[in-house]
């Protein structure tokens, strides 16, 4: 995997292709894996945020019978700019409008370990917050019903779910998170089925982490085919649900230059209101919120397109910024970042999200994609 990509391991972008399973009953730290063109919306609400920017982090959480969680992104090839870490005590309050799916690996662990001394910290600082739900397994027969279970749950509560389709062919360039659909025709069919489960309520779609930023491993022809399929995917998703907000992969601030990333994003449909609401960055990574805000705005400026296009940033593990040595696999000294919210108070920044669920391992402190309580506790305390 390229030094800036997410990690999933035959199990998703980063490390989240596993269903909600916790550690075994004995309380050990090894988790038990089970792999498993439309009208535009009005803008997401924007209100002032009481806290300063912090460094962003990595990806998602699994859930329900349909979900899998996200892999961790490797740190970018160039070192991050030094920025002041964001204090946890000043984290942005979680938006009550974001949906917390009732099934995830961390929730399963919390329920199964009421007497573990780490439980209260992990529950209050991680499990109680909304996170994305990943769909990283290529299962056409069940994908519609599994997506519908999540979106209908959010609609019932009047909240906004975040879903992550992660099945593009040649995913992760054959690295830890390899997998996906057998070919682009099969992927197009899978996306049709995914879209059929979106319902009619508000939903945020983080479309295929690493699919654009990590496309350099493909030939020019293969890239063009992938980008055409991604542009089609955005149109299909927004046709199926006019209230769906679809965001495209911008990598992160330590990876490609904004102009290069924007050029690829344009080919993938991210500049068209028929398929896109903007971009996402920092999935499964650790770069500061301040760095990602500056980078995303530069990418959007280079991208062009409607002024309504915005960005969402994964802040799940970026509270202390990226490690100076560029380590990407469960690096020590990281912290959870800003809590998920649809109200950032910043222009063109639509949301801070937890795309990768904090505590899901990149593969060094636990099996890739599985919840590892010791890692979660280190991030949260």
């Amino acid at each position: 995997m390229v030094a800036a990509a997410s990690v999933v391991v035959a199990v998703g972008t980063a490390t989240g292709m596993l269903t909600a399973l916790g550690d075994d009953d004995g309380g050990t730290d090894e988790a038990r894996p089970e792999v498993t063109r439309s009208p535009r919306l009005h803008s997401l609400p924007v209100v002032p945020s009481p806290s300063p920017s912090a460094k962003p982090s990595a990806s998602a959480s699994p859930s329900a019978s349909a979900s899998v969680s996200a892999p961790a992104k490797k740190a970018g090839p160039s070192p991050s700019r030094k920025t002041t870490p964001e204090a946890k005590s000043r984290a942005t309050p979680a938006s009550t409008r974001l949906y917390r799916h009732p099934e995830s690996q961390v929730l399963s662990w919390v329920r199964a370990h009421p007497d573990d001394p780490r439980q209260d910290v992990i529950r209050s600082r991680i499990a109680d917050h909304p996170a994305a739900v990943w769909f990283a397994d290529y299962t056409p027969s069940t994908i519609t019903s599994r997506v519908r279970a999540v979106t209908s749950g959010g609609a019932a509560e009047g909240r906004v779910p975040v879903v992550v389709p992660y099945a593009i062919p040649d995913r992760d360039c054959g690295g830890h998170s390899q997998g996906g659909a057998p070919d682009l025709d099969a992927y197009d069919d899978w996306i049709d089925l995914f879209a059929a489960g979106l319902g009619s309520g508000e939903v945020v779609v983080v479309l295929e982490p690493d699919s654009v930023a990590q496309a350099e491993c493909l030939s020019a022809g293969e890239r063009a085919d992938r980008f055409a399929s991604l542009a089609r995917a955005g149109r299909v998703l927004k046709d199926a649900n006019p209230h769906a907000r679809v965001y495209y992969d911008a990598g992160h601030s330590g990876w490609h230059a904004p102009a290069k990333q924007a050029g690829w994003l344009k080919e993938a449909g991210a500049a068209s209101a028929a398929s896109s609401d903007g971009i996402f960055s920092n999935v499964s990574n650790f770069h500061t919120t301040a760095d990602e805000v500056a980078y995303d705005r530069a990418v959007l400026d280079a991208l062009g397109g409607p002024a309504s296009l915005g960005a969402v940033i994964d802040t799940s593990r970026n509270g202390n910024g990226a490690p100076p040595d560029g380590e990407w696999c469960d690096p020590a000294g990281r912290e959870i970042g800003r809590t998920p919210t649809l109200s950032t108070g910043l222009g063109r920044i639509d949301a801070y999200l937890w795309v990768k669920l904090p505590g899901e391992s990149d593969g060094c402190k636990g099996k890739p994609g599985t919840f590892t309580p010791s890692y979660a506790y280190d991030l949260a305390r």
Side-chain angles (χ1 to χ4, degrees):
M1 173 143 71
V2 173
S6 316
V7 179
V8 199
V9 188
V11 280
T13 215
T15 300
M17 304 181 43
L18 308 172
T19 55
L21 294 174
D23 290 0
D24 60 31
D25 292 339
T28 66
D29 280 344
E30 179 178 273
R32 298 174 308 218
E34 176 187 327
V35 185
T36 54
R37 300 162 278 247
S38 59
R40 304 261 318 157
L41 289 179
H42 13 274
S43 300
L44 294 172
V46 174
V47 298
S49 164
S51 62
S53 302
K55 290 191 177 181
S57 137
S59 71
S61 78
S63 85
S65 59
S67 70
V68 258
S69 71
K73 287 189 176 181
K74 293 185 179 181
S78 58
S80 305
R81 296 188 295 279
K82 271 264 191 198
T83 36
T84 305
E86 176 174 309
K88 276 196 215 103
S89 60
R90 294 189 288 174
T92 306
S95 169
T96 56
R97 292 192 64 229
L98 281 169
Y99 177 58
R100 189 194 70 160
H101 192 61
E103 298 296 331
S104 70
Q105 294 188 75
V106 63
L107 285 168
S108 293
W109 184 87
V110 165
R111 292 164 186 152
H113 299 86
D115 299 323
D116 191 297
R118 302 166 294 187
Q119 198 255 26
D120 184 62
V121 168
I122 292 173
R123 177 192 52 76
S124 63
R125 305 203 106 169
I126 297 177
D128 285 351
H129 296 294
V133 179
W134 288 69
F135 299 86
D137 52 336
Y138 177 71
T139 51
S141 63
T142 61
I143 189 64
T144 300
S145 61
R146 292 186 298 148
V147 174
R148 184 178 294 126
V150 176
T151 57
S152 62
E157 295 185 13
R159 298 183 181 184
V160 182
V162 179
V163 295
V164 186
Y166 190 64
I168 198 78
D170 300 314
R171 185 174 67 198
D172 193 26
C173 296
H176 287 294
S177 304
Q178 62 185 299
D183 55 48
L184 287 174
D185 287 340
Y187 178 74
D188 291 347
D189 292 341
W190 185 84
I191 278 290
D192 292 346
L193 295 169
F194 187 101
L198 288 179
S200 59
E202 288 184 83
V203 57
V204 172
V205 182
V206 176
L207 179 62
E208 297 292 341
D210 289 345
S211 61
V212 178
Q214 203 180 18
E216 209 151 33
C217 70
L218 304 174
S219 69
E222 289 169 334
R223 260 200 310 277
D225 290 344
R226 173 184 284 190
F227 292 165
S229 191
L230 288 170
R232 177 191 181 276
R235 292 193 301 270
V236 167
L237 294 165
K238 292 179 72 62
D239 278 343
N241 179 357
H243 294 101
R245 298 185 65 86
V246 179
Y247 294 89
Y248 281 73
D249 172 37
H252 59 68
S253 59
W255 204 343
H256 300 303
K260 178 177 181 177
Q261 188 66 34
W264 283 355
L265 283 162
K266 187 171 294 187
E267 289 184 55
S272 170
S275 55
S276 170
D277 291 275
I279 61 175
F280 64 84
S281 72
N282 210 45
V283 169
S284 299
N285 223 293
F286 307 90
H287 297 275
T288 65
T289 303
D291 284 355
E292 293 305 299
V293 167
Y295 173 74
D296 289 346
R297 285 173 171 168
V299 171
L300 288 169
D301 287 345
L303 181 62
S308 57
L309 296 182
V312 299
I313 299 169
D314 186 351
T315 60
S316 57
R317 302 186 301 181
N318 72 342
N320 201 26
D325 61 359
E327 176 58 53
W328 62 267
C329 187
D330 302 334
R334 303 312 97 198
E335 298 179 356
I336 55 175
R338 292 174 179 271
T339 50
T341 181
L342 297 176
S343 302
T344 70
L346 299 177
R348 307 206 83 178
I349 307 301
D350 293 346
Y352 302 136
L353 304 175
W354 283 5
V355 185
K356 181 178 178 70
L357 186 69
E360 288 181 2
S361 176
D362 301 331
C364 292
K365 296 190 176 181
K367 293 179 181 177
T370 60
F371 179 75
T372 305
S374 60
Y375 182 37
Y377 184 69
D378 287 345
L379 288 168
R381 65 180 172 173

